[in-house]
Amino acid sequence: MAIFEIPVFPGAAQKMALTLGENYYILFLYYVDEEEGGWTLDISLAEDVALIAGLPLLPGQDLLEPHADLGIPCRMAIFTPGEPDYKPGFNDLGAKTLLVYEPVE
C-alpha cells in the first residue's frame, strides 16, 4: 500500500476533509499549549458524528490502532524525517513533522 501525506499548515488549528473507503471524515487538528499537551486530533464523520476526540499526536505509533473498532480504513501516524521519536511543537507539524496515512482494506 502507498503512504500519503495529509497537508497541514504549521502553527494553526485547522479542519480538513478526507475520504477513506466509502466514508467522508472531518479531521480537526489543534495545539494544546500545556505541559503535557501538544498537537491533538478530533475525527468525525461528515454528518457531525464524533468518532474520536482529543487524540494526542504521538510519534512512533499508529494513532488509530486503539480505535480499530471504529472501522476507519487506514493507519495514521506522524513522521519527522531523521527523528523518529520527535514530538512536534506548535510550529513543527506541517513543516518539520508530517501527518501521514496508509489506507488498509
Side-chain angles (χ1 to χ4, degrees):
M1 281 277 177
I3 295 176
F4 300 95
E5 180 181 353
I6 298 172
V8 178
F9 298 100
Q14 51 211 284
K15 193 175 195 179
M16 64 202 67
L18 182 65
T19 301
L20 295 167
E22 297 181 11
N23 289 315
Y24 187 72
Y25 296 92
I26 303 297
L27 308 180
F28 180 57
L29 291 157
Y30 54 98
Y31 192 80
V32 177
D33 192 13
E34 296 179 6
E35 188 173 327
E36 294 296 319
W39 281 101
T40 305
L41 173 66
D42 295 348
I43 301 176
S44 62
L45 290 172
E47 303 83 26
D48 286 330
V49 176
L51 298 176
I52 300 171
L55 179 66
L57 299 186
L58 301 174
Q61 59 187 299
D62 175 2
L63 301 170
L64 300 179
E65 185 177 32
H67 305 282
D69 58 313
L70 296 175
I72 300 172
C74 76
R75 292 182 192 91
M76 190 175 292
I78 59 170
F79 172 71
T80 304
E83 298 181 66
D85 296 326
Y86 184 77
K87 184 177 176 186
F90 181 69
N91 290 310
D92 296 329
L93 189 63
K96 181 177 183 174
T97 302
L98 309 174
L99 178 61
V100 297
Y101 74 95
E102 177 184 29
V104 294
E105 309 223 354

